[in-house]
Amino acid sequence: MFKSVLVANRGEIACRVFRTAKRMGLRTIAVYSEADAGALHVREADEAVLIGPAAARESYLDATKVLAAAKATGAEAIHPGYGFLSENADFAEAVAAAGLIWIGPDPSSIRAMGLKDAAKQLMIEAGVPVTPGYQGADQSEATLTAEAARIGYPVLIKAVAGGGGKGMKRVDDPADFAAGLASAKREGAAAFGDDRVLIERYITRPRHIEVQVFGDRHGNVVHLYERDCSLQRRHQKVIEEAPAPGMSEAVRAAVTGAAIKAARAVNYVGAGTIEFIADASDGLKADGVWFMEMNTRLQVEHPVTESVTGVDLVEWQFRVAAGEPIPLKQDEVQLNGWAMEARLYAEDPANGFLPSIGRLEHFVMPDDIRVDTGVEQGGEVSQFYDPMIAKLIVHEDTREAAAARLAEAAGEVEVWPVKANAGFLKRCLEHPRFVAGDVDTGFIAAEEAALRPRPSDEATLAALTLIAEATTEAAEAPSDRFSPWGGQPGLSYGVRLNGPPQTTVWAHVDGQGVSAAVTPIETGWLGGSGERAHAGFDQVQAGDRVFGYQTVDDGFVVFVDGEARRVAPYRAAVGSGAAAASDGSLRAPMPGKIVAAPVKAGDAVTKGQPVVVLEAMKMEHALTAPFDGLVESVAGLGDQVVEAAVLAVVRAR
């Protein structure tokens, strides 16, 4: 076994690999960009090397700098994590050429499976069922348009070198094919340096099922059962689980058998994932599951497989890379219980899931489940990298218990002032369809209304009552409409717990004027303590519920059910902010680059029509016309813009 390992990555996956490496007594080495100088993975490593500016292409994607860091620190092995250089065959070859151990598959396997079109052809030859589609060399728009018509709409356009939902576009109408193709090509070129695409038939009720495989240099290949990753948004996974709901032994045998065939077809070594698409229109069937692609690396969702098998997949990676055989034979890999993982993103579900950046002034995670993260309180969520900030993982005896515990854990998340999707995760996990296992990749879009952020409820307002009680003097405030917590004459400044059984509480919650009759619960005042005491945060308890909060300006931030709710005193004449939303100015939600401007100054546009496309945090974000009108101005193609910059102005006709 080697004695030291450099992780050519950052954030959560770097911390995850270090955890196993330290348990095994290995020296750990981190690399970092200027933006990550204070990052958690840098501090957790035994040694760390600065490799360049914030931009990934000048740091984490620069193979020469990574190899120089390995040489300078005496690293014996390199673990690539996921993303960045993890599926770069040239980098794998360079690692071996430098006399280092590459913790991953052979470069030939990466190349064979790295391009989706070539991989599909290889799988056809190996007898693995594949999704009907086109993966030919002719990339002309005319040919691709004709092939899409032959396959039949809806179709899925996919960058051949893609992954993580980048360079992937669903097209339902032939009239939209050209625009979808152009966008997929742009994203493919920007993310992977390759604008080629393939086209597949879009399965109308698809489920995403994948199989964890592992191979070694002694001819052994095993599977570690399946995961279901069907709960997705914009082709990016949100919640993953193992095993897959509704999986019969016959279908499991078919899909795991196909996965073993796929791995053997490329002489696979190390951890890999074979991804399948299943038609869920009439339950899972052995002849209704098709190969999509192979990820020749460790997956983001690997913890759910670890939970149900009891295997440390990173340890297996180390041992296989060192030349050892796989520690278990196939019949020794057991499936126990049910595991679920939710991806906590720095994004705003109330604003189209736009990524959120900034300092994590308050960051509290559940303390009795597995949490994999690469950030901590006081850290930064950067504009330069993926917005995932943590993974919440639970393992229970049954699926129902796992979903309930993960929903509870999501509700315990406290993040401020960066926006996070914890409340959205909780609503997904508690939705009756999800609880019943009735999930496909269109679930989130279909249930959008039920999954939106909810208006203020009794729980929030009860928390306000308690906070007001605990933080104010007994004296009464002036009995007018500007009383901080009262909307009626004579209501005391702090709503007294020995007052009437019910009290009407008035406040502005997230800018909306609300009121409700609440009954104060027998309480225990906790004050500032533990992690929540950082940065001025305190907490109150109502019955068995604990609410974290912070005083900000003239109000509070209250954490309830995974949401950070901004609460201000009730004012009778608070503006709605509608003018700012209706002046026709389209502002950048975050720093980024203008990659497309479908319209020009003077063009007429209709409400919802794309006006300008911003690339930020590895994804494209289309800003649309807020109403019918004429384009007065639009930013230039290629412009780098800062947050809140005016990108276009539309004037009403």
Side-chain angles (χ1 to χ4, degrees):
M1 176 62 65
F2 43 85
K3 301 298 182 184
S4 60
V5 59
L6 180 148
V7 177
N9 218 295
R10 64 178 299 279
E12 172 269 323
I13 186 57
C15 294
R16 162 68 190 94
V17 175
F18 289 157
R19 188 164 64 245
T20 292
K22 289 182 177 182
R23 179 175 59 77
M24 297 177 67
L26 306 180
R27 183 166 65 94
T28 56
I29 301 156
V31 292
Y32 66 96
S33 70
E34 291 173 355
D36 279 340
L40 184 61
H41 81 277
V42 175
R43 294 200 308 281
E44 288 198 344
D46 295 321
E47 192 171 353
V49 179
L50 174 65
I51 57 170
R57 290 191 180 280
E58 300 177 60
S59 51
Y60 297 108
L61 285 170
D62 191 322
T64 301
K65 291 178 179 177
V66 173
L67 289 171
K71 181 178 180 180
T73 57
E76 296 177 58
I78 290 182
H79 192 300
Y82 52 70
F84 292 139
L85 296 167
S86 63
E87 295 180 280
N88 186 311
D90 292 340
F91 179 61
E93 286 179 339
V95 170
L100 303 173
I101 295 172
W102 167 249
I103 303 174
D106 291 339
S108 60
S109 300
I110 297 174
R111 288 195 176 95
M113 289 298 201
L115 296 177
K116 290 179 171 60
D117 52 352
K120 286 186 69 173
Q121 187 59 44
L122 182 61
M123 292 300 99
I124 292 171
E125 295 168 4
V128 177
V130 302
T131 314
Y134 171 78
Q135 56 269 354
D138 187 345
Q139 292 284 301
S140 68
E141 183 174 336
T143 295
L144 294 172
T145 302
E147 287 295 329
R150 177 186 64 80
I151 295 165
Y153 287 87
V155 298
L156 198 60
I157 305 171
K158 300 168 72 172
V160 299
K166 301 173 184 67
M168 187 181 298
K169 303 295 174 185
R170 172 181 171 174
V171 181
D172 296 290
D173 189 323
D176 299 326
F177 184 80
L181 176 63
S183 182
K185 282 179 167 290
R186 279 196 306 270
E187 284 190 3
F192 314 108
D194 190 338
D195 72 350
R196 291 177 298 156
V197 301
L198 59 82
I199 305 172
E200 291 179 347
R201 186 175 82 194
Y202 185 83
I203 309 301
T204 53
R205 280 215 66 195
R207 278 180 61 182
H208 181 124
I209 294 175
E210 59 188 36
V211 178
Q212 178 73 61
V213 295
F214 224 103
D216 63 25
R217 298 200 177 280
H218 302 273
N220 302 308
V221 179
V222 300
H223 70 79
L224 291 96
Y225 299 97
E226 80 281 353
R227 300 184 287 255
D228 191 298
C229 307
S230 298
L231 203 74
Q232 301 180 6
R233 187 184 59 75
R234 298 175 186 167
H235 306 296
Q236 290 190 313
K237 300 166 189 175
V238 176
I239 294 171
E240 302 102 351
E241 58 184 303
M247 177 66 71
S248 69
E249 287 304 320
V251 178
R252 176 171 290 139
V255 73
T256 56
I260 294 291
K261 272 187 184 179
R264 288 195 180 280
V266 292
N267 301 313
Y268 199 77
V269 174
T273 298
I274 313 296
E275 298 193 346
F276 297 89
I277 188 169
D279 185 348
S281 58
D282 190 25
L284 294 176
K285 290 182 168 47
D287 60 355
V289 183
W290 301 281
F291 170 87
M292 276 200 306
E293 62 187 32
M294 182 178 190
N295 289 302
T296 53
R297 53 171 167 79
L298 197 66
Q299 291 279 95
V300 176
E301 59 272 22
H302 76 274
V304 295
T305 295
E306 293 184 322
S307 297
V308 295
T309 62
V311 168
D312 184 329
L313 290 173
V314 175
E315 179 179 343
W316 276 28
Q317 285 187 297
F318 288 163
R319 295 195 180 282
V320 167
E324 298 180 21
I326 296 171
L328 297 178
K329 299 185 185 306
Q330 186 64 71
D331 60 3
E332 296 174 318
V333 181
Q334 299 297 311
L335 186 63
N336 297 300
W338 214 287
M340 285 188 184
E341 171 184 295
R343 301 190 187 191
L344 183 68
Y345 280 96
E347 62 185 11
D348 186 2
N351 192 22
F353 293 92
L354 286 173
S356 181
I357 61 176
R359 184 172 182 269
L360 291 163
E361 295 178 11
H362 186 64
F363 184 71
V364 175
M365 296 291 103
D367 59 8
D368 59 349
I369 66 167
R370 175 174 171 178
V371 177
D372 286 8
T373 185
V375 298
E376 60 185 347
Q377 188 160 281
E380 292 279 339
V381 177
S382 168
Q383 63 171 298
F384 298 102
Y385 313 116
D386 189 273
M388 189 179 75
I389 53 178
K391 301 184 308 197
L392 312 178
I393 306 109
V394 300
H395 182 217
E396 300 289 344
D397 292 336
T398 66
R399 186 177 187 275
E400 293 76 13
R405 181 65 193 100
L406 190 54
E408 181 182 27
E412 295 169 359
V413 168
E414 299 180 8
V415 180
W416 177 263
V418 172
K419 303 290 186 182
N421 67 333
F424 169 76
L425 295 172
K426 180 176 172 66
R427 292 188 289 276
C428 287
L429 290 157
E430 292 177 337
H431 193 286
R433 273 188 60 194
F434 181 85
V435 173
D438 178 20
V439 177
D440 56 55
T441 59
F443 172 87
I444 290 176
E447 304 297 339
E448 180 182 3
L451 300 176
R452 287 175 187 154
R454 295 167 184 163
S456 180
D457 56 16
E458 295 281 323
T460 308
L461 294 167
L464 304 183
T465 306
L466 298 170
I467 293 166
E469 167 66 19
T471 57
T472 60
E473 299 295 331
E476 294 186 352
S479 57
D480 61 22
R481 66 184 183 183
F482 295 107
S483 175
W485 301 112
Q488 299 174 351
L491 189 63
S492 65
Y493 181 63
V495 180
R496 309 314 302 170
L497 295 181
N498 58 0
Q502 283 198 326
T503 304
T504 299
V505 179
W506 295 66
H508 272 93
V509 180
D510 297 334
Q512 300 280 324
V514 297
S515 67
V518 300
T519 302
I521 308 166
E522 188 68 27
T523 70
W525 166 240
L526 302 183
S529 62
E531 290 182 280
R532 290 175 173 83
H534 293 299
F537 281 80
D538 293 304
Q539 51 186 185
V540 298
Q541 183 171 356
D544 61 354
R545 299 195 68 182
V546 175
F547 299 89
Y549 76 93
Q550 182 194 28
T551 304
V552 290
D553 300 330
D554 63 345
F556 300 94
V557 174
V558 180
F559 298 103
V560 56
D561 294 333
E563 306 280 7
R565 314 302 296 268
R566 181 67 178 269
V567 184
Y570 184 81
R571 295 287 188 268
V574 174
S576 66
S582 62
D583 68 355
S585 298
L586 303 183
R587 296 180 179 271
M590 68 199 79
K593 178 182 178 181
I594 304 301
V595 295
V599 300
K600 62 183 184 298
D603 285 354
V605 292
T606 58
K607 181 179 179 180
Q609 181 179 340
V611 175
V612 64
V613 180
L614 179 73
E615 181 185 75
M617 298 183 88
K618 301 184 180 180
M619 297 291 285
E620 290 189 359
H621 307 276
L623 281 71
T624 61
F627 40 69
D628 296 350
L630 294 175
V631 178
E632 185 174 278
S633 63
V634 63
L637 199 63
D639 285 359
Q640 292 282 351
V641 298
V642 298
E643 183 176 359
V646 176
L647 306 185
V649 176
V650 177
R651 296 301 181 204
R653 285 185 283 188

